[in-house]
Amino acid sequence: MPAVLVVTGPSGAGKGTLIRELVERVPEIEVTVSATTRERRRGEEDGREYRFLSAAEFHARVEHGEFLEHVEFISGQCYGTLRSELARIAENGHTPLLELETEGALRVKHEVPGAVTIFISARVDELERRLRERATESSGEIHERIELARKQLEQAREFDHVIENDDLERAVTELTTLVRGLLGATATMPRR
Ligand code: 5GP
């Protein structure tokens, strides 16, 4: 059984949607709540999507060695996985699933024995369309994310598994089958 599962890929590849569908089907996994210094978006709740920290608190926690991994990302915003999250999930008897950008994912792959990494891929024009549709970033930030996405797509082969998300339903099935296989889990019905 993998110690941790890592799902990565460019912004707009649909990692969030795929993970939501996955956890409904595979209740043995639990998604870690990352810490970030970025602004809270409408509809997000502190402690649910992220733990929203000030830059000062984030850096203090880095100094104390509280992060398994952390990155400074777009526009200087920081994101990171607190070690305490992995401990909390392990205590629940679940397997932690981390949703990370590629740099953090590669770090976990190399530093955590037994980590399994899954790259969610999509075409660049599709990524751009989804980011513009979501409209949570300014056009400058979208441009920055697209450029980063191009670079990240080239890194796909560094990860253990690659799933194309051109068709959501097919990608959900592929991801669920893969994760069930990794966990040795028997088929489970959706929680809904
Ligand atoms: P967003 O701002 O759209 O929520 O996330 C931006 C990016 O940060 C996404 O690619 C997401 O995977 C990544 N991310 C979220 N949490 C973490 C984390 O704890 N560590 C790292 N390395 N990346 C993260």
Side-chain angles (χ1 to χ4, degrees), residues 34 38 41 50 69 71 73 79-81 99-101 145:
S34 293
R38 84 143 158 76
R41 293 185 191 135
Y50 285 105
E69 62 76 42
V71 284
F73 197 40
Y79 294 80
T81 310
E99 188 214 318
L100 308 175
E101 48 61 63
R145 283 190 183 228

Side-chain angles (χ1 to χ4, degrees), residues 36-82:
T36 184
T37 59
R38 84 143 158 76
E39 287 287 307
R40 195 151 57 88
R41 293 185 191 135
R42 194 176 307 150
E44 289 182 334
E45 245 177 56
D46 187 32
R48 191 180 65 189
E49 282 79 11
Y50 285 105
R51 291 183 65 183
F52 295 96
L53 303 180
S54 66
E57 186 171 0
F58 195 100
H59 290 114
R61 285 170 179 254
V62 170
E63 289 296 305
H64 288 133
E66 291 183 29
F67 284 100
L68 173 71
E69 62 76 42
H70 64 94
V71 284
E72 192 169 322
F73 197 40
I74 288 166
S75 324
Q77 300 300 347
C78 299
Y79 294 80
T81 310
L82 290 162

Side-chain angles (χ1 to χ4, degrees), residues 1 8 18 28 34 46 49 79 105 108-109 116 130 142 153 172-173:
M1 208 192 278
T8 189
L18 279 174
E28 294 88 344
S34 293
D46 187 32
E49 282 79 11
Y79 294 80
V108 174
K109 177 184 155 98
V116 175
R130 288 182 199 161
I142 288 178
L153 285 170
V172 169
T173 304

Side-chain angles (χ1 to χ4, degrees), residues 1 3 6-7 12 14 20 30 33 40 50 61 67 72 76 80 90 102 104 112 121-122 147 149-150 168 174 178 192:
M1 208 192 278
V6 181
V7 174
R20 270 196 301 280
E30 196 171 334
V33 178
R40 195 151 57 88
Y50 285 105
R61 285 170 179 254
F67 284 100
E72 192 169 322
T102 50
V112 179
S121 188
E147 284 312 304
R150 278 185 207 281
L168 181 63
E174 203 178 316
L178 170 65
R192 263 181 291 211

